Amino acid sequence: RRRPGVSNLLLVVAAASSGGLVAYADSGSDAAAVEKPQLPLRKKVVVLGTGWGGTTFLRNLDSKLYDVQVISPRNYFAFTPLLPSVTSGTVEPRSIVEPIRRILEKKGGEIKFWEAECFKIDPKNKKIHCRSNIGTNLDGNGEFLVDYDYLVVAVGARTNTFNTPGVVENCHFLKEVEDAQKIRRSVMDCFERASLPFLDEEERKKNLHFVVVGGGPTGVEFAASLHDFVTEDLSKLYPSIQHLVKISLIEAADHILTMFDKRITNFAEDKFGRDGIDVKTGFKVVKVAKDAITMQNPATGDISVPYGMAVWSTGIGTRPFIVEFMKQIGQANRRVLATDEWLRVRECDGVYAIGDCATINQRKVMEDISEIFRVADKDKSGTLTVKEIQDVLDDIYVRYPQVQLYLKSKQMNGIADLVRSAKGDAEKESVELNIEEFKKALSLVDSQVKFLPATAQVASQQGQYLARCFNKMKDAEENPEGPIRIRGEGRHRFRPFRYRHLGQFAPLGGEQTAAQLPGDWISIGHSTQWLWYSVYATKQISWRTRMLVVSDWTRRFIFGRDSSCI
Ligand code: FAD
């Protein structure tokens, strides 16, 4: 039987003093337990993840009220919206990260942080199983158990490859800071390889073919920033091969940026066309080999194209340990953890989930939408006129702004077209929408897609909301009936979470950005780029990162981007 190593014991002692760590597990079931000496006075809150959701929660939490522990495999917060800028060297990686310990220090040093990943949640015993990801220096396998009274799951998501063969082996992802750094090095490697003296023209072309799979905001922004890097900086440094560079953007749907307004989609497609970015819509990538990407289109069949570097950005999937957790709690048929409107994981006492790993259960939303339809369908014919459709939609949008986003997303294309044609045909008063079909499509959305967009905006609003609830929890416990009667079926201590959509940006390169702001206000062009600069400078998590990011932008304006392969 092995004994826990010194470093692990130190970890145990340190953690036990926080009141959260209850046992050391040396090697799986062969665990030697170290009992926690006394019960803590404050309730234990364990936060998984230091991304947008977790960090915003921690920054807003009154940490004196709880015994808080944070567990994450990375010891920093990363400002993900600027990751595409890191791939081209417009912004340096360290400018967009803030050490989590610095953030926690500002909370008075009350919060403990463990650099580790959770690999199992045990909701029955209210424990989580963790593994240190710096385990190489540790004896044993670096595993430990942490118990909780409240668990906040904010572990984000992983990139979804849809099990496409060869993607993991041959494509880059753009999810983490390390991914962006690897992409930057890989772009430079492609240029250096293509410059070697013994290569023929075809080989050079292959090396300089950059493929982006996925026409969502991340893929589009990356393609745009790569195009800027090539035209503004690399073309001067590699004049003999710059004409061989090709950027392809492959999207399975009929358009790119389908979650944006049609005007933005059209502008982006036209701009990319003018810039020489080859936008291939309606193509589904089915295989990625070392040298070639194979894509499918009903009209052309399979096409294989050679490439130098590929970036895969087709959406997000659930982390494996969350999938296991969902199986345990009877949510195996869902794609992301379902919570109620108070962000509590359903049927799971004391567990909350926020950000990309969670979605609000839509049963109530669907009931409300059905009710709106029922009221609108005065003559009980099962159909609505244009005017009625408009009223219904306005009512839905006011209550659930996120529905509007999904009406524009590709999953809802059929419905969106129906609504658009109905709305556009103003004089044809009798255009009718089949209510049952509309409701069916909406409930399909409920079961298949994440209802709230997977954005930093949602994750941080949820983190902020949840922290406020936690700050008031004690008062609420002393006064269990609660001051606000929200629903007919019972009293709730807090208002339900409501997402406030503040708009979204799509940087398109060449100092032009498109923005879709609340109220369907669209702005595109150079002035919007300045709006983008100011919003992202303002949103930085600290003055240090704000200064670094602004100075990176200034450096880029004056000296251009750095092209070294480091
Ligand atoms: P994350 O921010 O991903 O954080 C997850 C955290 O969990 C991380 O700290 C991770 O280390 C940790 N973790 C992972 N596994 C474990 C584990 N097993 N145990 C413990 N901790 C774990 N959104 C916008 O609103 N605007 C944008 O412009 C925008 N641009 C983007 C650009 C890119 C390139 C990308 C990738 C995303 C962008 N997003 C944008 C989306 C946004 O980044 C995400 O929606 C947001 O990060 C979700 O926050 P989160 O807290 O759920 O997850």
Side-chain angles (χ1 to χ4, degrees), residues 258-260 393-394 396-397 400-420 423 438 441-442 445 451:
T258 45
M259 63 295 298
F260 281 82
L393 286 173
D394 288 346
I396 294 175
Y397 294 168
Y400 302 106
Q402 61 268 37
V403 171
Q404 187 166 14
L405 292 177
Y406 273 101
L407 281 176
K408 286 174 180 156
S409 80
K410 62 178 177 232
Q411 286 90 350
M412 295 293 287
N413 260 351
I415 296 293
D417 285 347
L418 202 59
V419 173
R420 254 185 236 122
K423 283 178 98 173
F438 198 125
L442 283 173
V445 171
F451 210 67

PDB file of all heavy atoms in Angstrom, residues 258-260 393-394 396-397 400-420 423 438 441-442 445 451:
ATOM      1  N   THR A 258     -24.864  32.915 -39.643  1.00  0.00           N
ATOM      2  CA  THR A 258     -26.322  32.757 -39.712  1.00  0.00           C
ATOM      3  C   THR A 258     -27.056  33.292 -38.475  1.00  0.00           C
ATOM      4  O   THR A 258     -28.249  33.520 -38.530  1.00  0.00           O
ATOM      5  CB  THR A 258     -26.690  31.275 -39.902  1.00  0.00           C
ATOM      6  OG1 THR A 258     -25.902  30.510 -39.003  1.00  0.00           O
ATOM      7  CG2 THR A 258     -26.488  30.820 -41.317  1.00  0.00           C
ATOM      8  N   MET A 259     -26.325  33.439 -37.365  1.00  0.00           N
ATOM      9  CA  MET A 259     -27.002  33.957 -36.172  1.00  0.00           C
ATOM     10  C   MET A 259     -27.120  35.479 -36.198  1.00  0.00           C
ATOM     11  O   MET A 259     -27.716  36.069 -35.316  1.00  0.00           O
ATOM     12  CB  MET A 259     -26.314  33.480 -34.888  1.00  0.00           C
ATOM     13  CG  MET A 259     -24.892  33.940 -34.676  1.00  0.00           C
ATOM     14  SD  MET A 259     -23.773  33.279 -35.913  1.00  0.00           S
ATOM     15  CE  MET A 259     -23.923  31.537 -35.626  1.00  0.00           C
ATOM     16  N   PHE A 260     -26.556  36.105 -37.221  1.00  0.00           N
ATOM     17  CA  PHE A 260     -26.653  37.564 -37.351  1.00  0.00           C
ATOM     18  C   PHE A 260     -27.758  37.932 -38.327  1.00  0.00           C
ATOM     19  O   PHE A 260     -28.263  37.083 -39.081  1.00  0.00           O
ATOM     20  CB  PHE A 260     -25.317  38.121 -37.857  1.00  0.00           C
ATOM     21  CG  PHE A 260     -24.266  38.253 -36.792  1.00  0.00           C
ATOM     22  CD1 PHE A 260     -23.503  37.158 -36.418  1.00  0.00           C
ATOM     23  CD2 PHE A 260     -24.037  39.458 -36.161  1.00  0.00           C
ATOM     24  CE1 PHE A 260     -22.530  37.263 -35.446  1.00  0.00           C
ATOM     25  CE2 PHE A 260     -23.066  39.577 -35.176  1.00  0.00           C
ATOM     26  CZ  PHE A 260     -22.309  38.478 -34.814  1.00  0.00           C
ATOM     27  N   LEU A 393     -44.762  37.707 -32.177  1.00  0.00           N
ATOM     28  CA  LEU A 393     -43.298  37.750 -32.134  1.00  0.00           C
ATOM     29  C   LEU A 393     -42.814  38.865 -31.222  1.00  0.00           C
ATOM     30  O   LEU A 393     -41.892  38.680 -30.418  1.00  0.00           O
ATOM     31  CB  LEU A 393     -42.729  37.941 -33.540  1.00  0.00           C
ATOM     32  CG  LEU A 393     -42.816  36.702 -34.427  1.00  0.00           C
ATOM     33  CD1 LEU A 393     -42.391  37.033 -35.842  1.00  0.00           C
ATOM     34  CD2 LEU A 393     -41.949  35.579 -33.878  1.00  0.00           C
ATOM     35  N   ASP A 394     -43.453  40.027 -31.330  1.00  0.00           N
ATOM     36  CA  ASP A 394     -43.039  41.137 -30.461  1.00  0.00           C
ATOM     37  C   ASP A 394     -43.157  40.725 -29.005  1.00  0.00           C
ATOM     38  O   ASP A 394     -42.278  40.990 -28.189  1.00  0.00           O
ATOM     39  CB  ASP A 394     -43.904  42.382 -30.716  1.00  0.00           C
ATOM     40  CG  ASP A 394     -43.559  43.004 -32.060  1.00  0.00           C
ATOM     41  OD1 ASP A 394     -42.501  42.621 -32.606  1.00  0.00           O
ATOM     42  OD2 ASP A 394     -44.349  43.823 -32.560  1.00  0.00           O
ATOM     43  N   ILE A 396     -43.132  37.676 -27.751  1.00  0.00           N
ATOM     44  CA  ILE A 396     -42.107  36.671 -27.404  1.00  0.00           C
ATOM     45  C   ILE A 396     -40.753  37.348 -27.222  1.00  0.00           C
ATOM     46  O   ILE A 396     -40.021  37.079 -26.268  1.00  0.00           O
ATOM     47  CB  ILE A 396     -42.008  35.576 -28.492  1.00  0.00           C
ATOM     48  CG1 ILE A 396     -43.297  34.763 -28.554  1.00  0.00           C
ATOM     49  CG2 ILE A 396     -40.828  34.644 -28.218  1.00  0.00           C
ATOM     50  CD1 ILE A 396     -43.337  33.744 -29.684  1.00  0.00           C
ATOM     51  N   TYR A 397     -40.415  38.275 -28.142  1.00  0.00           N
ATOM     52  CA  TYR A 397     -39.097  38.911 -28.087  1.00  0.00           C
ATOM     53  C   TYR A 397     -38.916  39.726 -26.810  1.00  0.00           C
ATOM     54  O   TYR A 397     -37.840  39.772 -26.238  1.00  0.00           O
ATOM     55  CB  TYR A 397     -38.889  39.843 -29.286  1.00  0.00           C
ATOM     56  CG  TYR A 397     -38.816  39.140 -30.623  1.00  0.00           C
ATOM     57  CD1 TYR A 397     -38.888  39.861 -31.798  1.00  0.00           C
ATOM     58  CD2 TYR A 397     -38.666  37.764 -30.706  1.00  0.00           C
ATOM     59  CE1 TYR A 397     -38.816  39.234 -33.034  1.00  0.00           C
ATOM     60  CE2 TYR A 397     -38.602  37.127 -31.925  1.00  0.00           C
ATOM     61  CZ  TYR A 397     -38.681  37.866 -33.084  1.00  0.00           C
ATOM     62  OH  TYR A 397     -38.614  37.246 -34.287  1.00  0.00           O
ATOM     63  N   TYR A 400     -38.537  37.074 -24.112  1.00  0.00           N
ATOM     64  CA  TYR A 400     -37.381  36.179 -24.297  1.00  0.00           C
ATOM     65  C   TYR A 400     -36.530  36.660 -25.468  1.00  0.00           C
ATOM     66  O   TYR A 400     -36.658  36.155 -26.583  1.00  0.00           O
ATOM     67  CB  TYR A 400     -37.849  34.738 -24.560  1.00  0.00           C
ATOM     68  CG  TYR A 400     -38.710  34.203 -23.455  1.00  0.00           C
ATOM     69  CD1 TYR A 400     -40.070  34.053 -23.619  1.00  0.00           C
ATOM     70  CD2 TYR A 400     -38.141  33.882 -22.223  1.00  0.00           C
ATOM     71  CE1 TYR A 400     -40.870  33.594 -22.589  1.00  0.00           C
ATOM     72  CE2 TYR A 400     -38.930  33.426 -21.193  1.00  0.00           C
ATOM     73  CZ  TYR A 400     -40.285  33.277 -21.379  1.00  0.00           C
ATOM     74  OH  TYR A 400     -41.067  32.820 -20.361  1.00  0.00           O
ATOM     75  N   PRO A 401     -35.646  37.635 -25.239  1.00  0.00           N
ATOM     76  CA  PRO A 401     -34.849  38.164 -26.352  1.00  0.00           C
ATOM     77  C   PRO A 401     -34.031  37.079 -27.038  1.00  0.00           C
ATOM     78  O   PRO A 401     -33.736  37.162 -28.219  1.00  0.00           O
ATOM     79  CB  PRO A 401     -33.913  39.166 -25.675  1.00  0.00           C
ATOM     80  CG  PRO A 401     -34.394  39.345 -24.296  1.00  0.00           C
ATOM     81  CD  PRO A 401     -35.321  38.243 -23.958  1.00  0.00           C
ATOM     82  N   GLN A 402     -33.697  36.018 -26.291  1.00  0.00           N
ATOM     83  CA  GLN A 402     -32.871  34.969 -26.890  1.00  0.00           C
ATOM     84  C   GLN A 402     -33.593  34.218 -28.004  1.00  0.00           C
ATOM     85  O   GLN A 402     -32.966  33.658 -28.888  1.00  0.00           O
ATOM     86  CB  GLN A 402     -32.370  33.987 -25.826  1.00  0.00           C
ATOM     87  CG  GLN A 402     -33.416  33.237 -25.051  1.00  0.00           C
ATOM     88  CD  GLN A 402     -33.812  33.960 -23.771  1.00  0.00           C
ATOM     89  OE1 GLN A 402     -33.879  35.176 -23.767  1.00  0.00           O
ATOM     90  NE2 GLN A 402     -34.087  33.227 -22.716  1.00  0.00           N
ATOM     91  N   VAL A 403     -34.960  34.215 -27.961  1.00  0.00           N
ATOM     92  CA  VAL A 403     -35.706  33.513 -29.007  1.00  0.00           C
ATOM     93  C   VAL A 403     -35.420  34.165 -30.353  1.00  0.00           C
ATOM     94  O   VAL A 403     -35.270  33.513 -31.372  1.00  0.00           O
ATOM     95  CB  VAL A 403     -37.221  33.539 -28.713  1.00  0.00           C
ATOM     96  CG1 VAL A 403     -38.015  33.005 -29.902  1.00  0.00           C
ATOM     97  CG2 VAL A 403     -37.519  32.721 -27.477  1.00  0.00           C
ATOM     98  N   GLN A 404     -35.310  35.507 -30.319  1.00  0.00           N
ATOM     99  CA  GLN A 404     -35.066  36.231 -31.548  1.00  0.00           C
ATOM    100  C   GLN A 404     -33.743  35.774 -32.180  1.00  0.00           C
ATOM    101  O   GLN A 404     -33.644  35.603 -33.386  1.00  0.00           O
ATOM    102  CB  GLN A 404     -34.983  37.715 -31.247  1.00  0.00           C
ATOM    103  CG  GLN A 404     -34.898  38.552 -32.492  1.00  0.00           C
ATOM    104  CD  GLN A 404     -35.163  40.000 -32.195  1.00  0.00           C
ATOM    105  OE1 GLN A 404     -35.164  40.405 -31.041  1.00  0.00           O
ATOM    106  NE2 GLN A 404     -35.390  40.780 -33.209  1.00  0.00           N
ATOM    107  N   LEU A 405     -32.760  35.562 -31.335  1.00  0.00           N
ATOM    108  CA  LEU A 405     -31.470  35.099 -31.851  1.00  0.00           C
ATOM    109  C   LEU A 405     -31.635  33.759 -32.531  1.00  0.00           C
ATOM    110  O   LEU A 405     -31.090  33.507 -33.590  1.00  0.00           O
ATOM    111  CB  LEU A 405     -30.459  34.939 -30.714  1.00  0.00           C
ATOM    112  CG  LEU A 405     -29.999  36.201 -30.050  1.00  0.00           C
ATOM    113  CD1 LEU A 405     -29.065  35.854 -28.903  1.00  0.00           C
ATOM    114  CD2 LEU A 405     -29.271  37.074 -31.052  1.00  0.00           C
ATOM    115  N   TYR A 406     -32.417  32.888 -31.919  1.00  0.00           N
ATOM    116  CA  TYR A 406     -32.552  31.562 -32.497  1.00  0.00           C
ATOM    117  C   TYR A 406     -33.430  31.533 -33.727  1.00  0.00           C
ATOM    118  O   TYR A 406     -33.263  30.697 -34.597  1.00  0.00           O
ATOM    119  CB  TYR A 406     -32.984  30.548 -31.441  1.00  0.00           C
ATOM    120  CG  TYR A 406     -31.753  30.040 -30.771  1.00  0.00           C
ATOM    121  CD1 TYR A 406     -31.373  30.512 -29.540  1.00  0.00           C
ATOM    122  CD2 TYR A 406     -30.906  29.176 -31.447  1.00  0.00           C
ATOM    123  CE1 TYR A 406     -30.194  30.116 -28.967  1.00  0.00           C
ATOM    124  CE2 TYR A 406     -29.724  28.781 -30.891  1.00  0.00           C
ATOM    125  CZ  TYR A 406     -29.366  29.247 -29.651  1.00  0.00           C
ATOM    126  OH  TYR A 406     -28.188  28.874 -29.101  1.00  0.00           O
ATOM    127  N   LEU A 407     -34.344  32.492 -33.806  1.00  0.00           N
ATOM    128  CA  LEU A 407     -35.129  32.560 -35.032  1.00  0.00           C
ATOM    129  C   LEU A 407     -34.207  32.850 -36.197  1.00  0.00           C
ATOM    130  O   LEU A 407     -34.505  32.566 -37.334  1.00  0.00           O
ATOM    131  CB  LEU A 407     -36.191  33.651 -34.922  1.00  0.00           C
ATOM    132  CG  LEU A 407     -37.428  33.259 -34.133  1.00  0.00           C
ATOM    133  CD1 LEU A 407     -38.366  34.431 -34.000  1.00  0.00           C
ATOM    134  CD2 LEU A 407     -38.143  32.099 -34.799  1.00  0.00           C
ATOM    135  N   LYS A 408     -33.051  33.444 -35.903  1.00  0.00           N
ATOM    136  CA  LYS A 408     -32.124  33.781 -36.978  1.00  0.00           C
ATOM    137  C   LYS A 408     -31.052  32.724 -37.146  1.00  0.00           C
ATOM    138  O   LYS A 408     -30.247  32.799 -38.040  1.00  0.00           O
ATOM    139  CB  LYS A 408     -31.486  35.126 -36.669  1.00  0.00           C
ATOM    140  CG  LYS A 408     -32.489  36.220 -36.910  1.00  0.00           C
ATOM    141  CD  LYS A 408     -31.999  37.542 -36.502  1.00  0.00           C
ATOM    142  CE  LYS A 408     -33.111  38.544 -36.789  1.00  0.00           C
ATOM    143  NZ  LYS A 408     -33.023  39.707 -35.996  1.00  0.00           N
ATOM    144  N   SER A 409     -30.993  31.792 -36.268  1.00  0.00           N
ATOM    145  CA  SER A 409     -29.930  30.802 -36.374  1.00  0.00           C
ATOM    146  C   SER A 409     -30.319  29.713 -37.351  1.00  0.00           C
ATOM    147  O   SER A 409     -31.480  29.574 -37.729  1.00  0.00           O
ATOM    148  CB  SER A 409     -29.624  30.199 -35.013  1.00  0.00           C
ATOM    149  OG  SER A 409     -30.578  29.220 -34.740  1.00  0.00           O
ATOM    150  N   LYS A 410     -29.323  28.919 -37.746  1.00  0.00           N
ATOM    151  CA  LYS A 410     -29.592  27.977 -38.822  1.00  0.00           C
ATOM    152  C   LYS A 410     -30.610  26.911 -38.448  1.00  0.00           C
ATOM    153  O   LYS A 410     -31.351  26.448 -39.278  1.00  0.00           O
ATOM    154  CB  LYS A 410     -28.294  27.351 -39.306  1.00  0.00           C
ATOM    155  CG  LYS A 410     -27.540  26.555 -38.288  1.00  0.00           C
ATOM    156  CD  LYS A 410     -26.320  25.973 -38.946  1.00  0.00           C
ATOM    157  CE  LYS A 410     -25.535  25.235 -37.872  1.00  0.00           C
ATOM    158  NZ  LYS A 410     -24.187  25.592 -37.796  1.00  0.00           N
ATOM    159  N   GLN A 411     -30.677  26.577 -37.147  1.00  0.00           N
ATOM    160  CA  GLN A 411     -31.645  25.562 -36.750  1.00  0.00           C
ATOM    161  C   GLN A 411     -33.071  26.041 -37.035  1.00  0.00           C
ATOM    162  O   GLN A 411     -33.978  25.256 -37.156  1.00  0.00           O
ATOM    163  CB  GLN A 411     -31.536  25.259 -35.257  1.00  0.00           C
ATOM    164  CG  GLN A 411     -30.334  24.447 -34.893  1.00  0.00           C
ATOM    165  CD  GLN A 411     -29.154  25.342 -34.576  1.00  0.00           C
ATOM    166  OE1 GLN A 411     -29.192  26.551 -34.800  1.00  0.00           O
ATOM    167  NE2 GLN A 411     -28.089  24.750 -34.059  1.00  0.00           N
ATOM    168  N   MET A 412     -33.242  27.337 -37.068  1.00  0.00           N
ATOM    169  CA  MET A 412     -34.582  27.874 -37.208  1.00  0.00           C
ATOM    170  C   MET A 412     -34.837  28.463 -38.580  1.00  0.00           C
ATOM    171  O   MET A 412     -35.767  29.229 -38.760  1.00  0.00           O
ATOM    172  CB  MET A 412     -34.790  28.956 -36.143  1.00  0.00           C
ATOM    173  CG  MET A 412     -34.754  28.450 -34.732  1.00  0.00           C
ATOM    174  SD  MET A 412     -36.151  27.384 -34.415  1.00  0.00           S
ATOM    175  CE  MET A 412     -37.446  28.594 -34.349  1.00  0.00           C
ATOM    176  N   ASN A 413     -33.994  28.119 -39.541  1.00  0.00           N
ATOM    177  CA  ASN A 413     -34.103  28.766 -40.846  1.00  0.00           C
ATOM    178  C   ASN A 413     -35.497  28.678 -41.447  1.00  0.00           C
ATOM    179  O   ASN A 413     -36.003  29.664 -41.960  1.00  0.00           O
ATOM    180  CB  ASN A 413     -33.095  28.149 -41.814  1.00  0.00           C
ATOM    181  CG  ASN A 413     -31.886  29.044 -41.936  1.00  0.00           C
ATOM    182  OD1 ASN A 413     -31.935  30.169 -41.419  1.00  0.00           O
ATOM    183  ND2 ASN A 413     -30.853  28.585 -42.557  1.00  0.00           N
ATOM    184  N   GLY A 414     -36.101  27.477 -41.360  1.00  0.00           N
ATOM    185  CA  GLY A 414     -37.431  27.302 -41.935  1.00  0.00           C
ATOM    186  C   GLY A 414     -38.428  28.275 -41.349  1.00  0.00           C
ATOM    187  O   GLY A 414     -39.118  29.018 -42.061  1.00  0.00           O
ATOM    188  N   ILE A 415     -38.453  28.325 -40.025  1.00  0.00           N
ATOM    189  CA  ILE A 415     -39.375  29.213 -39.329  1.00  0.00           C
ATOM    190  C   ILE A 415     -39.047  30.670 -39.648  1.00  0.00           C
ATOM    191  O   ILE A 415     -39.926  31.472 -39.952  1.00  0.00           O
ATOM    192  CB  ILE A 415     -39.249  29.006 -37.803  1.00  0.00           C
ATOM    193  CG1 ILE A 415     -39.669  27.600 -37.423  1.00  0.00           C
ATOM    194  CG2 ILE A 415     -40.074  30.032 -37.053  1.00  0.00           C
ATOM    195  CD1 ILE A 415     -41.103  27.293 -37.623  1.00  0.00           C
ATOM    196  N   ALA A 416     -37.762  30.981 -39.606  1.00  0.00           N
ATOM    197  CA  ALA A 416     -37.357  32.364 -39.833  1.00  0.00           C
ATOM    198  C   ALA A 416     -37.809  32.820 -41.217  1.00  0.00           C
ATOM    199  O   ALA A 416     -38.341  33.925 -41.368  1.00  0.00           O
ATOM    200  CB  ALA A 416     -35.845  32.483 -39.698  1.00  0.00           C
ATOM    201  N   ASP A 417     -37.639  31.943 -42.218  1.00  0.00           N
ATOM    202  CA  ASP A 417     -38.056  32.314 -43.573  1.00  0.00           C
ATOM    203  C   ASP A 417     -39.563  32.537 -43.627  1.00  0.00           C
ATOM    204  O   ASP A 417     -40.049  33.480 -44.242  1.00  0.00           O
ATOM    205  CB  ASP A 417     -37.660  31.219 -44.570  1.00  0.00           C
ATOM    206  CG  ASP A 417     -36.169  31.262 -44.843  1.00  0.00           C
ATOM    207  OD1 ASP A 417     -35.552  32.275 -44.453  1.00  0.00           O
ATOM    208  OD2 ASP A 417     -35.631  30.297 -45.396  1.00  0.00           O
ATOM    209  N   LEU A 418     -40.272  31.633 -42.958  1.00  0.00           N
ATOM    210  CA  LEU A 418     -41.736  31.735 -42.932  1.00  0.00           C
ATOM    211  C   LEU A 418     -42.154  33.088 -42.340  1.00  0.00           C
ATOM    212  O   LEU A 418     -42.968  33.817 -42.889  1.00  0.00           O
ATOM    213  CB  LEU A 418     -42.251  30.603 -42.037  1.00  0.00           C
ATOM    214  CG  LEU A 418     -43.664  30.124 -42.185  1.00  0.00           C
ATOM    215  CD1 LEU A 418     -43.890  29.621 -43.592  1.00  0.00           C
ATOM    216  CD2 LEU A 418     -43.917  28.991 -41.195  1.00  0.00           C
ATOM    217  N   VAL A 419     -41.521  33.409 -41.224  1.00  0.00           N
ATOM    218  CA  VAL A 419     -41.873  34.651 -40.539  1.00  0.00           C
ATOM    219  C   VAL A 419     -41.465  35.840 -41.390  1.00  0.00           C
ATOM    220  O   VAL A 419     -42.233  36.788 -41.562  1.00  0.00           O
ATOM    221  CB  VAL A 419     -41.183  34.719 -39.161  1.00  0.00           C
ATOM    222  CG1 VAL A 419     -41.405  36.065 -38.518  1.00  0.00           C
ATOM    223  CG2 VAL A 419     -41.703  33.613 -38.275  1.00  0.00           C
ATOM    224  N   ARG A 420     -40.259  35.768 -41.958  1.00  0.00           N
ATOM    225  CA  ARG A 420     -39.783  36.875 -42.776  1.00  0.00           C
ATOM    226  C   ARG A 420     -40.718  37.115 -43.951  1.00  0.00           C
ATOM    227  O   ARG A 420     -41.117  38.232 -44.226  1.00  0.00           O
ATOM    228  CB  ARG A 420     -38.382  36.565 -43.303  1.00  0.00           C
ATOM    229  CG  ARG A 420     -37.340  37.375 -42.569  1.00  0.00           C
ATOM    230  CD  ARG A 420     -35.974  37.146 -43.177  1.00  0.00           C
ATOM    231  NE  ARG A 420     -35.074  36.695 -42.144  1.00  0.00           N
ATOM    232  CZ  ARG A 420     -34.396  35.565 -42.164  1.00  0.00           C
ATOM    233  NH1 ARG A 420     -34.491  34.750 -43.167  1.00  0.00           N
ATOM    234  NH2 ARG A 420     -33.616  35.251 -41.176  1.00  0.00           N
ATOM    235  N   LYS A 423     -43.901  38.620 -42.737  1.00  0.00           N
ATOM    236  CA  LYS A 423     -43.751  40.012 -42.310  1.00  0.00           C
ATOM    237  C   LYS A 423     -43.513  40.929 -43.506  1.00  0.00           C
ATOM    238  O   LYS A 423     -43.993  42.045 -43.553  1.00  0.00           O
ATOM    239  CB  LYS A 423     -42.566  40.134 -41.340  1.00  0.00           C
ATOM    240  CG  LYS A 423     -42.898  39.652 -39.954  1.00  0.00           C
ATOM    241  CD  LYS A 423     -41.708  39.749 -39.065  1.00  0.00           C
ATOM    242  CE  LYS A 423     -41.748  41.004 -38.226  1.00  0.00           C
ATOM    243  NZ  LYS A 423     -40.686  41.042 -37.231  1.00  0.00           N
ATOM    244  N   PHE A 438     -45.169  25.940 -35.952  1.00  0.00           N
ATOM    245  CA  PHE A 438     -44.267  26.879 -35.279  1.00  0.00           C
ATOM    246  C   PHE A 438     -43.904  26.339 -33.901  1.00  0.00           C
ATOM    247  O   PHE A 438     -42.742  26.296 -33.496  1.00  0.00           O
ATOM    248  CB  PHE A 438     -44.984  28.240 -35.149  1.00  0.00           C
ATOM    249  CG  PHE A 438     -44.051  29.389 -34.869  1.00  0.00           C
ATOM    250  CD1 PHE A 438     -44.034  30.502 -35.688  1.00  0.00           C
ATOM    251  CD2 PHE A 438     -43.205  29.382 -33.781  1.00  0.00           C
ATOM    252  CE1 PHE A 438     -43.184  31.564 -35.445  1.00  0.00           C
ATOM    253  CE2 PHE A 438     -42.355  30.429 -33.516  1.00  0.00           C
ATOM    254  CZ  PHE A 438     -42.341  31.524 -34.353  1.00  0.00           C
ATOM    255  N   ALA A 441     -41.565  23.382 -34.067  1.00  0.00           N
ATOM    256  CA  ALA A 441     -40.177  23.767 -34.359  1.00  0.00           C
ATOM    257  C   ALA A 441     -39.522  24.362 -33.114  1.00  0.00           C
ATOM    258  O   ALA A 441     -38.365  24.092 -32.817  1.00  0.00           O
ATOM    259  CB  ALA A 441     -40.148  24.765 -35.492  1.00  0.00           C
ATOM    260  N   LEU A 442     -40.296  25.150 -32.384  1.00  0.00           N
ATOM    261  CA  LEU A 442     -39.714  25.737 -31.170  1.00  0.00           C
ATOM    262  C   LEU A 442     -39.386  24.658 -30.137  1.00  0.00           C
ATOM    263  O   LEU A 442     -38.376  24.739 -29.453  1.00  0.00           O
ATOM    264  CB  LEU A 442     -40.671  26.766 -30.560  1.00  0.00           C
ATOM    265  CG  LEU A 442     -40.706  28.115 -31.267  1.00  0.00           C
ATOM    266  CD1 LEU A 442     -41.800  28.981 -30.675  1.00  0.00           C
ATOM    267  CD2 LEU A 442     -39.386  28.837 -31.154  1.00  0.00           C
ATOM    268  N   VAL A 445     -36.273  23.033 -31.005  1.00  0.00           N
ATOM    269  CA  VAL A 445     -35.157  23.877 -30.565  1.00  0.00           C
ATOM    270  C   VAL A 445     -34.890  23.603 -29.096  1.00  0.00           C
ATOM    271  O   VAL A 445     -33.759  23.456 -28.652  1.00  0.00           O
ATOM    272  CB  VAL A 445     -35.494  25.371 -30.751  1.00  0.00           C
ATOM    273  CG1 VAL A 445     -34.442  26.230 -30.086  1.00  0.00           C
ATOM    274  CG2 VAL A 445     -35.574  25.693 -32.218  1.00  0.00           C
ATOM    275  N   PHE A 451     -30.467  27.008 -25.672  1.00  0.00           N
ATOM    276  CA  PHE A 451     -31.382  28.095 -25.955  1.00  0.00           C
ATOM    277  C   PHE A 451     -30.719  29.456 -25.854  1.00  0.00           C
ATOM    278  O   PHE A 451     -30.903  30.320 -26.700  1.00  0.00           O
ATOM    279  CB  PHE A 451     -32.568  27.999 -25.007  1.00  0.00           C
ATOM    280  CG  PHE A 451     -33.817  28.545 -25.607  1.00  0.00           C
ATOM    281  CD1 PHE A 451     -34.414  27.922 -26.680  1.00  0.00           C
ATOM    282  CD2 PHE A 451     -34.382  29.685 -25.099  1.00  0.00           C
ATOM    283  CE1 PHE A 451     -35.560  28.423 -27.229  1.00  0.00           C
ATOM    284  CE2 PHE A 451     -35.533  30.199 -25.659  1.00  0.00           C
ATOM    285  CZ  PHE A 451     -36.123  29.567 -26.726  1.00  0.00           C
TER     286      PHE A 451
END
